[in-house]
Amino acid sequence: MSAQAAAAPGQATATRRLADLAKTIRSKNAGVDRITFDVIFQDRDNYELVKRSGVLSRESVARLYGIAESRITDFVTFDPANAIKFTILRERPSGSPGDSDIFGAQQYAPLLDIEVPVVSEG
Amino acid sequence: MLFNSLDFLVFFPIVVMVYFALPFRFRWASNRIEPVVPGQPLPEPADDGERVLQGVALQRAEAGDLQTIVGNPAEPALDQIVAQFQSDQEVQRIDEVIAWARRQVEERFGPPEEGGYELHYQVYGRDGVMGALEPNRDKPAHELGILVFGVAPTAEMAEEVALTGTRQMFYARLPDVKGTAGGVAFPLDEVVRVSPAYRWTLNHALRVDDPLELFELHTTEVAAAPEREAAEVAS
């Protein structure tokens, strides 16, 4: 992603953490066997920036969580709410013995440090 | 043919065999119920033309027995880590310690599937919260907290599974580990019993033509008592 930005002449590349751009980043159970993630932005600019950057995609999420893309059941960008949402299949149903997070509420941490390229005037 | 006849003894197994030999969609008695395979998306509904598909969710959870015990291995082998602070090696060691403890439990109860029990280790400080989803799994803390779950058909057995699975981490003998007096720091040496373990055993969608067809609807008209109604009007 830095190579891509560096190709534009006269522009320097900086990155910002997703946590600094989004208002809400969360995860939550979606039914018995899924966890859904929401990344919600206060303003349209940051939403568009992240959406267009491509740092959040089926591929990047699969890579980040070390799962096969087939385990991502949904991935949507929802403009009216400035929100990006995706859902993954759980390792095991919520509350089964060995499940470490029965509400699925603490699975979003890896999203916080995603670096979003911000192209600034150089 | 009578239920307790010899004929039935022949007839029934044949019918059962034919039923289960048939592909799922031909089993008329059950083909409206779509199984939900764990870890797989819900099956797409078949194209039924003009008919509007409606479904009723069927879900059930069943109880087993569950025990927990809290062990707190400071690390598998203290001098090992002090000597070479290599996270890769540390990860390897904790997995070795857990594998050791699992083997001891298996020696006593057999493999989990045969013994009918489950033994789970949650390694806090490494991937206790996210498990396999944890991207930083290979960068554990220098001190790990381990939660051991034993699940078994009876509370007594679950307790034994959890206790053995925890104590045997203490006794793990690994090559190159200098300490031989116990590789785990226990905050307490006992089993903490918790509620029965529940697990989802049914997560299906049943197709129906009418959303109410599975439910009986009773309507009762409740009228206000006349004197009270009058009293309220008066006030």
Side-chain angles (χ1 to χ4, degrees):
Chain A
M1 85 185 97
S2 59
Q4 180 192 10
Q11 290 181 321
T13 305
T15 59
R16 291 185 68 189
R17 291 168 72 233
L18 187 61
D20 296 331
L21 297 170
K23 173 176 146 246
T24 302
I25 301 175
R26 68 187 176 197
S27 65
K28 195 83 197 94
N29 276 353
V32 174
D33 60 348
R34 285 154 211 236
I35 296 174
T36 195
F37 297 76
D38 301 315
V39 181
I40 307 168
F41 299 85
Q42 187 99 52
D43 57 279
R44 173 58 50 131
D45 290 348
N46 283 340
Y47 166 68
E48 290 290 345
L49 177 74
V50 172
K51 185 180 153 185
R52 273 198 300 263
S53 74
V55 293
L56 271 180
S57 66
R58 280 178 184 266
E59 301 79 61
S60 72
V61 166
R63 212 179 318 117
L64 188 59
Y65 284 94
I67 57 175
E69 265 184 60
S70 56
R71 270 182 59 192
I72 303 173
T73 60
D74 299 276
F75 192 102
V76 291
T77 52
F78 188 57
D79 294 346
N82 296 335
I84 298 171
K85 183 179 186 67
F86 59 91
T87 303
I88 68 173
L89 289 165
R90 277 174 156 275
E91 187 102 336
R92 64 188 83 210
S94 165
S96 299
D99 178 22
S100 56
D101 186 2
I102 63 173
F103 298 119
Q106 278 297 316
Q107 304 300 312
Y108 63 87
L111 299 173
L112 300 173
D113 292 326
I114 289 179
E115 296 284 352
V116 183
V118 183
V119 179
S120 55
E121 301 298 320
Chain B
M1 188 173 10
L2 284 172
F3 207 62
N4 55 1
S5 67
L6 264 179
D7 286 353
F8 187 77
L9 197 67
V10 176
F11 164 83
F12 186 69
I14 289 175
V15 170
V16 169
M17 277 190 296
V18 168
Y19 177 82
F20 284 105
L22 281 173
F24 188 81
R25 62 177 180 282
F26 295 130
R27 295 181 206 161
W28 67 269
S30 58
N31 69 359
R32 297 197 315 165
I33 300 180
E34 306 281 346
V36 176
V37 183
Q40 296 293 320
L42 274 169
E44 289 297 320
D47 187 2
D48 281 30
E50 293 296 303
R51 192 155 77 92
V52 177
L53 285 171
Q54 319 204 47
V56 173
L58 308 174
Q59 296 186 327
R60 179 180 65 202
E62 283 175 31
D65 275 304
L66 175 85
Q67 311 279 319
T68 65
I69 188 166
V70 185
N72 190 5
E75 33 66 70
L78 185 62
D79 50 0
Q80 183 73 23
I81 284 160
V82 172
Q84 21 184 329
F85 217 88
Q86 282 184 7
S87 58
D88 281 355
Q89 192 149 9
E90 193 181 334
V91 171
Q92 223 182 333
R93 300 312 285 204
I94 189 62
D95 284 338
E96 281 177 58
V97 169
I98 290 172
W100 168 286
R102 282 191 190 282
R103 277 198 300 278
Q104 307 304 312
V105 174
E106 286 193 19
E107 268 183 28
R108 172 137 181 224
F109 296 103
E113 56 280 5
E114 284 175 27
Y117 69 92
E118 287 179 38
L119 181 60
H120 300 282
Y121 292 85
Q122 283 171 18
V123 183
Y124 289 94
R126 183 182 68 172
D127 58 356
V129 173
M130 297 186 59
L133 295 176
E134 174 59 63
N136 293 322
R137 203 167 181 270
D138 56 351
K139 294 177 210 152
H142 79 280
E143 176 179 287
L144 303 170
I146 309 212
L147 194 59
V148 182
F149 283 83
V151 186
T154 67
E156 288 68 32
M157 182 179 169
E159 188 164 332
E160 278 302 300
V161 167
L163 201 59
T164 310
T166 306
R167 284 210 180 131
Q168 287 299 331
M169 288 195 293
F170 186 89
Y171 296 125
R173 285 282 167 272
L174 304 181
D176 304 325
V177 170
K178 301 286 195 293
T180 54
V184 171
F186 288 122
L188 72 172
D189 186 22
E190 59 182 306
V191 171
V192 181
R193 253 186 211 191
V194 298
S195 340
Y198 284 83
R199 76 189 78 225
W200 293 98
T201 54
L202 183 67
N203 186 29
H204 285 54
L206 175 61
R207 284 189 201 154
V208 291
D209 294 315
D210 178 343
L212 294 179
E213 77 180 59
L214 297 179
F215 308 102
E216 271 184 51
L217 206 60
H218 300 277
T219 310
T220 307
E221 301 229 352
V222 184
E227 56 272 35
R228 186 173 163 172
E229 201 175 4
E232 276 170 16
V233 169
S235 69

